[in-house]
Amino acid sequence: MCKKKEPAPLEKGFQKVDEQVMEKMDKLFRSAYYLVQKERPFSDFKDILELQTLNGLSIGETYFNNKAAKEFVGEIAGFYYTELKELLQKADYFSIFCDGSTDNSEVEKELIMVKVLVDFYPRMKFLKLAQPANTKAQGVLDAIDKAFEEIGLQDYKQKLVGFCSDGANVMMGKKKGVISLLKEQGNADWVLSVWCLAHRLELAIKDAFKQTYMDTVVDVLQLIFYFYRGSAKRNKEAHDIADMMEDHFYKPAKANGTRWVEHKLMAVAKLKSNWKVIVMHIMNYAEDNTNRGEDRAKAKGIIAKLLQYKFVWYMYFIKDVLLEITRISLLFQREDITVTSAVTKVQSAQLSLRDMINNPGPTLREFDQDVVGDQHKDHTLRNVVAQDCLKKQKGTILQDILDCIQRRMENLISEDPVYELQCP
C-alpha cells in the first residue's frame, strides 16, 4: 500500500502562513460585522482593531482605516445579498413588507423587507432601502419592481402571497394604492393585503387618548424629557439630589418615538420611579435665581402638573394600561407571529382592560399605598379629586380604548374569513 507523501518543509511553511492569514481575515471580518451590527461609523474600525491588538490579538496594521472597513462590510453585504437572491429564486412563495423611511440626509426612502420560509420557518429578510422616483403609489411600486429585478426576479409577483404596510392611502388604497396597482399590473388578484397590526394598535391607542387627561400626562412626560435632555448640569443636580436621598435618578425617556406605546411605557415607568427626585430637583431649580428666567418658568410649569393629585393618580393608571397594550405591541412585532397568537393576545388584553374598569390594576393598587390623603412621598398634592370621580373617568377611558381596539382590529377579531379559518 502506497503511503501518502508528506508535504515538504517549504510547503508546510506556506500552509502555516495561509492559516495565519485566514485567522487574521476572520478577525477583521468579525470586527467589521460588529461595527455594522452596533450601528457604529466606519471611523471606529481603527479603534476596534487597536483595542484587539492591545489585548494580544495578531491582526496586523494593513487594514487600520475607514476604506478597509467599508470594503469588508461590502463583502459581507454581498454574501448576504447573494444568499437572499438564491433563497427567493428557489422559494415557492413569499410576502413583502414595505414602509416609508428616511436616510441620514432626510431623503425619502422605501424600506422593503421580505418574509420567506427558511427550513419551514418564517424569516424576515432585508431586501433594499430603495429611493422611489416619487412618493406616489406608482413611484413606490416601481422602486419595489426594480429591487426585485436586481436579483433576477422580474416575475416576483407570481410568487407573492402577501403584502403588508401601514394604512396610508398611497399603500393600501383600493383604487390607486400600491397594493391595487400591484394586483392589477401583475395579474395577482390572490395577493392578501394586510394593514400592519402593530401600526393599527398604535392608532387605536392614539385615538383613545385624544383629548383626555391621558394626553396631558404624555405632554408632561415630553416636557420632562426635554428639560433634562442635553443638560449635563441638570442631570448632575438630579443625580446629586438622588444620592442625598439615598435614591436613584433614571434619565427621563422620550415619550414619543417609532414604537409609540413602548416609548410611553418606558417614559411613565421612569417618571414613577423618579417622581420624588424630579419633584425635589425641579422645585429647587425653579427657586434658584442663578438660572435663566425662561428655564425657571418652564420648571414651575412642570411642578404645577407633577404635584396635582389627578396627575399622580393618572400616572399610576396609565402605566397599567400601557403595560397591557405593550404586550400586544411586542407580540405584533415578533418575526414568528401567527394569526392565532395575535387573536389570542388581543382577546386576552381586552379581558384585562375590561377587568380594570371595576378593579384597579397592579400599579394603581400601589397608589393607595404611596398616597395617604393628599401626601405622596414627602410632598403635599394639590387639588384632591374624589375617588368616585376618578373611577368614573377610568371606566370611560378604558371603554374608549376597548372600542378603538375593536374598531381598528375588527377584521382580525371577527369579520375577515382569512383570520376565522385559523382561529375559529
Side-chain angles (χ1 to χ4, degrees), residues 14-29:
F14 278 119
Q15 289 177 350
K16 188 174 182 181
V17 169
D18 289 342
E19 289 174 3
Q20 290 175 346
V21 171
M22 289 298 294
E23 186 178 347
K24 288 181 180 179
M25 296 302 290
D26 180 66
K27 293 171 184 174
L28 289 165
F29 272 104

PDB file of all heavy atoms in Angstrom, residues 14-29:
ATOM      1  N   PHE A  14       4.215  27.401   3.852  1.00  0.00           N
ATOM      2  CA  PHE A  14       3.180  28.159   3.145  1.00  0.00           C
ATOM      3  C   PHE A  14       1.790  27.871   3.707  1.00  0.00           C
ATOM      4  O   PHE A  14       0.949  28.765   3.823  1.00  0.00           O
ATOM      5  CB  PHE A  14       3.210  27.824   1.651  1.00  0.00           C
ATOM      6  CG  PHE A  14       4.259  28.599   0.885  1.00  0.00           C
ATOM      7  CD1 PHE A  14       5.286  27.951   0.219  1.00  0.00           C
ATOM      8  CD2 PHE A  14       4.215  29.985   0.845  1.00  0.00           C
ATOM      9  CE1 PHE A  14       6.253  28.668  -0.478  1.00  0.00           C
ATOM     10  CE2 PHE A  14       5.173  30.705   0.139  1.00  0.00           C
ATOM     11  CZ  PHE A  14       6.199  30.057  -0.518  1.00  0.00           C
ATOM     12  N   GLN A  15       1.542  26.597   4.089  1.00  0.00           N
ATOM     13  CA  GLN A  15       0.258  26.250   4.677  1.00  0.00           C
ATOM     14  C   GLN A  15       0.044  26.989   5.995  1.00  0.00           C
ATOM     15  O   GLN A  15      -1.051  27.464   6.294  1.00  0.00           O
ATOM     16  CB  GLN A  15       0.178  24.738   4.902  1.00  0.00           C
ATOM     17  CG  GLN A  15       0.046  23.933   3.623  1.00  0.00           C
ATOM     18  CD  GLN A  15       0.036  22.448   3.892  1.00  0.00           C
ATOM     19  OE1 GLN A  15       0.310  22.005   5.000  1.00  0.00           O
ATOM     20  NE2 GLN A  15      -0.284  21.667   2.860  1.00  0.00           N
ATOM     21  N   LYS A  16       1.122  27.089   6.751  1.00  0.00           N
ATOM     22  CA  LYS A  16       1.039  27.777   8.032  1.00  0.00           C
ATOM     23  C   LYS A  16       0.760  29.262   7.828  1.00  0.00           C
ATOM     24  O   LYS A  16      -0.055  29.849   8.538  1.00  0.00           O
ATOM     25  CB  LYS A  16       2.343  27.589   8.803  1.00  0.00           C
ATOM     26  CG  LYS A  16       2.277  28.101  10.237  1.00  0.00           C
ATOM     27  CD  LYS A  16       3.541  27.754  10.986  1.00  0.00           C
ATOM     28  CE  LYS A  16       3.448  28.231  12.439  1.00  0.00           C
ATOM     29  NZ  LYS A  16       4.677  27.926  13.200  1.00  0.00           N
ATOM     30  N   VAL A  17       1.420  29.845   6.826  1.00  0.00           N
ATOM     31  CA  VAL A  17       1.183  31.255   6.525  1.00  0.00           C
ATOM     32  C   VAL A  17      -0.271  31.479   6.130  1.00  0.00           C
ATOM     33  O   VAL A  17      -0.926  32.403   6.567  1.00  0.00           O
ATOM     34  CB  VAL A  17       2.127  31.734   5.392  1.00  0.00           C
ATOM     35  CG1 VAL A  17       1.689  33.115   4.900  1.00  0.00           C
ATOM     36  CG2 VAL A  17       3.558  31.785   5.891  1.00  0.00           C
ATOM     37  N   ASP A  18      -0.789  30.565   5.264  1.00  0.00           N
ATOM     38  CA  ASP A  18      -2.180  30.682   4.839  1.00  0.00           C
ATOM     39  C   ASP A  18      -3.130  30.616   6.020  1.00  0.00           C
ATOM     40  O   ASP A  18      -4.116  31.362   6.085  1.00  0.00           O
ATOM     41  CB  ASP A  18      -2.513  29.583   3.834  1.00  0.00           C
ATOM     42  CG  ASP A  18      -1.832  29.801   2.492  1.00  0.00           C
ATOM     43  OD1 ASP A  18      -1.403  30.946   2.229  1.00  0.00           O
ATOM     44  OD2 ASP A  18      -1.738  28.846   1.728  1.00  0.00           O
ATOM     45  N   GLU A  19      -2.850  29.722   6.961  1.00  0.00           N
ATOM     46  CA  GLU A  19      -3.701  29.611   8.143  1.00  0.00           C
ATOM     47  C   GLU A  19      -3.665  30.893   8.965  1.00  0.00           C
ATOM     48  O   GLU A  19      -4.685  31.352   9.479  1.00  0.00           O
ATOM     49  CB  GLU A  19      -3.243  28.427   8.993  1.00  0.00           C
ATOM     50  CG  GLU A  19      -3.547  27.066   8.370  1.00  0.00           C
ATOM     51  CD  GLU A  19      -2.950  25.928   9.167  1.00  0.00           C
ATOM     52  OE1 GLU A  19      -2.352  26.213  10.229  1.00  0.00           O
ATOM     53  OE2 GLU A  19      -3.085  24.770   8.729  1.00  0.00           O
ATOM     54  N   GLN A  20      -2.490  31.485   9.083  1.00  0.00           N
ATOM     55  CA  GLN A  20      -2.352  32.725   9.845  1.00  0.00           C
ATOM     56  C   GLN A  20      -3.101  33.871   9.161  1.00  0.00           C
ATOM     57  O   GLN A  20      -3.766  34.673   9.820  1.00  0.00           O
ATOM     58  CB  GLN A  20      -0.873  33.070  10.000  1.00  0.00           C
ATOM     59  CG  GLN A  20      -0.112  32.129  10.920  1.00  0.00           C
ATOM     60  CD  GLN A  20       1.378  32.422  10.956  1.00  0.00           C
ATOM     61  OE1 GLN A  20       1.896  33.156  10.103  1.00  0.00           O
ATOM     62  NE2 GLN A  20       2.075  31.848  11.926  1.00  0.00           N
ATOM     63  N   VAL A  21      -2.985  33.926   7.831  1.00  0.00           N
ATOM     64  CA  VAL A  21      -3.688  34.956   7.086  1.00  0.00           C
ATOM     65  C   VAL A  21      -5.191  34.791   7.226  1.00  0.00           C
ATOM     66  O   VAL A  21      -5.927  35.758   7.448  1.00  0.00           O
ATOM     67  CB  VAL A  21      -3.281  34.921   5.589  1.00  0.00           C
ATOM     68  CG1 VAL A  21      -4.177  35.851   4.772  1.00  0.00           C
ATOM     69  CG2 VAL A  21      -1.821  35.330   5.429  1.00  0.00           C
ATOM     70  N   MET A  22      -5.660  33.544   7.128  1.00  0.00           N
ATOM     71  CA  MET A  22      -7.090  33.276   7.256  1.00  0.00           C
ATOM     72  C   MET A  22      -7.605  33.658   8.641  1.00  0.00           C
ATOM     73  O   MET A  22      -8.703  34.193   8.790  1.00  0.00           O
ATOM     74  CB  MET A  22      -7.374  31.797   6.982  1.00  0.00           C
ATOM     75  CG  MET A  22      -7.204  31.387   5.531  1.00  0.00           C
ATOM     76  SD  MET A  22      -8.352  32.276   4.444  1.00  0.00           S
ATOM     77  CE  MET A  22      -9.907  31.616   5.007  1.00  0.00           C
ATOM     78  N   GLU A  23      -6.782  33.397   9.651  1.00  0.00           N
ATOM     79  CA  GLU A  23      -7.175  33.737  11.019  1.00  0.00           C
ATOM     80  C   GLU A  23      -7.298  35.251  11.184  1.00  0.00           C
ATOM     81  O   GLU A  23      -8.242  35.749  11.799  1.00  0.00           O
ATOM     82  CB  GLU A  23      -6.145  33.186  12.006  1.00  0.00           C
ATOM     83  CG  GLU A  23      -6.545  33.370  13.469  1.00  0.00           C
ATOM     84  CD  GLU A  23      -5.529  32.768  14.425  1.00  0.00           C
ATOM     85  OE1 GLU A  23      -4.655  32.015  13.971  1.00  0.00           O
ATOM     86  OE2 GLU A  23      -5.623  33.084  15.634  1.00  0.00           O
ATOM     87  N   LYS A  24      -6.351  35.996  10.588  1.00  0.00           N
ATOM     88  CA  LYS A  24      -6.416  37.459  10.653  1.00  0.00           C
ATOM     89  C   LYS A  24      -7.644  37.987   9.915  1.00  0.00           C
ATOM     90  O   LYS A  24      -8.342  38.877  10.396  1.00  0.00           O
ATOM     91  CB  LYS A  24      -5.146  38.064  10.059  1.00  0.00           C
ATOM     92  CG  LYS A  24      -3.899  37.904  10.912  1.00  0.00           C
ATOM     93  CD  LYS A  24      -2.698  38.559  10.244  1.00  0.00           C
ATOM     94  CE  LYS A  24      -1.447  38.383  11.107  1.00  0.00           C
ATOM     95  NZ  LYS A  24      -0.253  38.994  10.462  1.00  0.00           N
ATOM     96  N   MET A  25      -7.889  37.435   8.741  1.00  0.00           N
ATOM     97  CA  MET A  25      -9.030  37.895   7.950  1.00  0.00           C
ATOM     98  C   MET A  25     -10.347  37.608   8.669  1.00  0.00           C
ATOM     99  O   MET A  25     -11.285  38.400   8.615  1.00  0.00           O
ATOM    100  CB  MET A  25      -9.018  37.220   6.575  1.00  0.00           C
ATOM    101  CG  MET A  25      -7.820  37.570   5.709  1.00  0.00           C
ATOM    102  SD  MET A  25      -7.660  39.351   5.413  1.00  0.00           S
ATOM    103  CE  MET A  25      -9.057  39.646   4.355  1.00  0.00           C
ATOM    104  N   ASP A  26     -10.389  36.470   9.343  1.00  0.00           N
ATOM    105  CA  ASP A  26     -11.587  36.117  10.099  1.00  0.00           C
ATOM    106  C   ASP A  26     -11.855  37.160  11.185  1.00  0.00           C
ATOM    107  O   ASP A  26     -12.998  37.611  11.374  1.00  0.00           O
ATOM    108  CB  ASP A  26     -11.409  34.731  10.727  1.00  0.00           C
ATOM    109  CG  ASP A  26     -12.636  34.308  11.525  1.00  0.00           C
ATOM    110  OD1 ASP A  26     -13.695  34.108  10.908  1.00  0.00           O
ATOM    111  OD2 ASP A  26     -12.535  34.181  12.762  1.00  0.00           O
ATOM    112  N   LYS A  27     -10.809  37.588  11.880  1.00  0.00           N
ATOM    113  CA  LYS A  27     -10.958  38.599  12.927  1.00  0.00           C
ATOM    114  C   LYS A  27     -11.393  39.946  12.337  1.00  0.00           C
ATOM    115  O   LYS A  27     -12.209  40.665  12.923  1.00  0.00           O
ATOM    116  CB  LYS A  27      -9.642  38.753  13.691  1.00  0.00           C
ATOM    117  CG  LYS A  27      -9.246  37.525  14.500  1.00  0.00           C
ATOM    118  CD  LYS A  27      -7.847  37.655  15.050  1.00  0.00           C
ATOM    119  CE  LYS A  27      -7.427  36.383  15.785  1.00  0.00           C
ATOM    120  NZ  LYS A  27      -6.011  36.427  16.212  1.00  0.00           N
ATOM    121  N   LEU A  28     -10.835  40.272  11.176  1.00  0.00           N
ATOM    122  CA  LEU A  28     -11.180  41.539  10.538  1.00  0.00           C
ATOM    123  C   LEU A  28     -12.640  41.553  10.087  1.00  0.00           C
ATOM    124  O   LEU A  28     -13.342  42.557  10.261  1.00  0.00           O
ATOM    125  CB  LEU A  28     -10.247  41.783   9.346  1.00  0.00           C
ATOM    126  CG  LEU A  28      -8.791  42.115   9.713  1.00  0.00           C
ATOM    127  CD1 LEU A  28      -7.885  41.978   8.488  1.00  0.00           C
ATOM    128  CD2 LEU A  28      -8.683  43.528  10.279  1.00  0.00           C
ATOM    129  N   PHE A  29     -13.096  40.440   9.505  1.00  0.00           N
ATOM    130  CA  PHE A  29     -14.486  40.354   9.065  1.00  0.00           C
ATOM    131  C   PHE A  29     -15.438  40.420  10.260  1.00  0.00           C
ATOM    132  O   PHE A  29     -16.474  41.078  10.210  1.00  0.00           O
ATOM    133  CB  PHE A  29     -14.729  39.069   8.267  1.00  0.00           C
ATOM    134  CG  PHE A  29     -14.451  39.216   6.803  1.00  0.00           C
ATOM    135  CD1 PHE A  29     -13.298  38.697   6.233  1.00  0.00           C
ATOM    136  CD2 PHE A  29     -15.345  39.886   5.981  1.00  0.00           C
ATOM    137  CE1 PHE A  29     -13.036  38.840   4.872  1.00  0.00           C
ATOM    138  CE2 PHE A  29     -15.103  40.033   4.627  1.00  0.00           C
ATOM    139  CZ  PHE A  29     -13.938  39.507   4.065  1.00  0.00           C
TER     140      PHE A  29
END
